[in-house]
Amino acid sequence: MDWKRHKLEYAGEMIYLDNNATTPVAPEVLEEMTRVSRVAYGNPGSRHSAGRKARQVLEDSREMIAEIIDCSSDEVVFTSGGTEASNLAIAGLAAGRKGTIILPPAEHPATEEAVKRLTKLGSRKHRLQLNDRGQLVQDSLTAAPWDDAILATALLAHNETGTVLDLGPMSEYCERNGVPFHVDAVQAVGKIPVSFRDLKATTMSIASQKFCGPRGIGALIVKDGTRVIPQSLGGHQEQGRRAGTECVALAAGMAKAMQIFHQHMDEHIAHLRSLRDRFEIGLAKQCEPFVVNGCIEHRLPNTLHAAFPGCNADALLVALDLAGICCSHGSACASGSSEPAPILLAMQLPSEIYSSSLRFSIGPQNTIDEIEEAVQIISETVQRLRS
């Protein structure tokens, strides 16, 4: 992505370090959506030439996405985003059945709320355990009630800490016991290589806005032969799994963003990791005491979730916003909550850590100059709040 040729409107006004919430749309993606909106404006369900043209663009986008994430095009169901995709998977796989849903603690709100609804209908949830680095405790998998399970679900990469989980053992238990397995890969796709086949998942959710694509478009990947009960009723779009006229321009934008990441993946990951590590080292030197949360060895290349003991996270967040730094407590879908981040509680971290932690997430548009300026602003703000 050539961000140098297209300065963002916010340049010089703020430093945006909340890319796990959403990313700016890449210039090439905006250009592609504009082009498609001009030439493929028809309804892809219509049988005339304009409809056929729109359908061709839609299916070309579907095939491109499928090739990159290692599935077949028939397995890609377009949705309005990651939340709808996870809702469709959880509700659609468990429809008409009651039993146990197995999941780690502190999943994304899209999962937590969908599971909560199932429990109100008579199912039960069983929590697996995480260690202090946010990885699954293997003994908790063994002890889970697989004989009563109707569904298992887990994040591939945690949206707050950035920890990338080893889901291999969990998928093996699911396969062995015939339990459908949903993977929320929203934070992972577009930041690290992801293969639907290798995950051995039944369904997988992704969202365009996390990798410099447009908001309002995502997808649920559904393993061939899987029965997922639709949650929206209407037409027969998306093989009857998700009613509603598909937005061709958004689908094309999502495919373009994914293609850009895939073509420059090694360079992209190296850029993110280099900036993240530079940022982390700078903060560690100037903000001591400073604690990195999560699994340092296995995490997204762009994510730093860290504690500044002696600071209140709410006060620090507000102060940094006023100073021109955009960051967050954690999931944007949980914004407004003053409670400690559930993932930090699940990791059993002490209160001085979870009460002083913020999430910083870097995007491909960020620069070394921004990172160095951010370190200086944050260190000065932390020192002021501690004094």
Side-chain angles (χ1 to χ4, degrees), residues 271-286:
H271 172 71
L272 293 177
R273 183 176 288 117
S274 174
L275 292 184
R276 193 272 314 278
D277 291 349
R278 190 185 192 100
F279 184 54
E280 182 178 318
I281 291 170
L283 291 178
K285 288 180 178 178
Q286 298 190 42

Side-chain angles (χ1 to χ4, degrees), residues 201-215:
T202 311
T203 55
M204 183 179 81
S205 52
I206 62 178
S208 167
Q209 73 188 68
K210 306 299 185 181
F211 47 87
C212 298
R215 282 183 285 275

Side-chain angles (χ1 to χ4, degrees), residues 103-107 127-138 140 154-155 158 161 163 165 167 342-348:
L103 71 165
E107 290 289 286
R127 296 287 190 184
L128 301 171
Q129 294 178 353
L130 299 177
N131 60 26
D132 60 2
R133 300 187 303 155
Q135 292 286 2
L136 285 169
V137 174
Q138 298 303 308
S140 72
L155 283 159
H158 201 278
T161 62
T163 295
L165 277 72
L167 296 182
I343 183 61
L344 302 185
L345 295 176
M347 291 159 59
Q348 300 182 37

Side-chain angles (χ1 to χ4, degrees), residues 191-312:
K191 296 186 182 78
I192 58 175
V194 175
S195 164
F196 180 64
R197 292 282 173 263
D198 288 348
L199 285 171
K200 297 182 179 179
T202 311
T203 55
M204 183 179 81
S205 52
I206 62 178
S208 167
Q209 73 188 68
K210 306 299 185 181
F211 47 87
C212 298
R215 282 183 285 275
I217 184 77
L220 180 67
I221 315 304
V222 182
K223 185 178 180 181
D224 186 42
T226 300
R227 183 170 178 262
V228 175
I229 303 301
Q231 300 303 297
S232 59
L233 305 178
H236 297 284
Q237 294 90 350
E238 299 303 296
Q239 302 180 62
R241 287 169 166 157
R242 198 264 186 179
T245 302
E246 300 97 337
C247 184
V248 177
L250 291 181
M254 178 179 177
K256 183 67 173 181
M258 192 174 286
Q259 179 189 46
I260 292 170
F261 164 75
H262 185 66
Q263 289 177 340
H264 306 281
M265 182 169 57
D266 292 342
E267 176 187 346
H268 177 76
I269 292 173
H271 172 71
L272 293 177
R273 183 176 288 117
S274 174
L275 292 184
R276 193 272 314 278
D277 291 349
R278 190 185 192 100
F279 184 54
E280 182 178 318
I281 291 170
L283 291 178
K285 288 180 178 178
Q286 298 190 42
C287 295
E288 190 178 19
F290 171 82
V291 179
V292 178
N293 301 320
C295 184
I296 294 177
E297 299 86 355
H298 303 288
R299 57 175 165 160
L300 296 173
N302 77 317
T303 306
L304 173 64
H305 197 286
F308 302 84
C311 286
N312 175 272

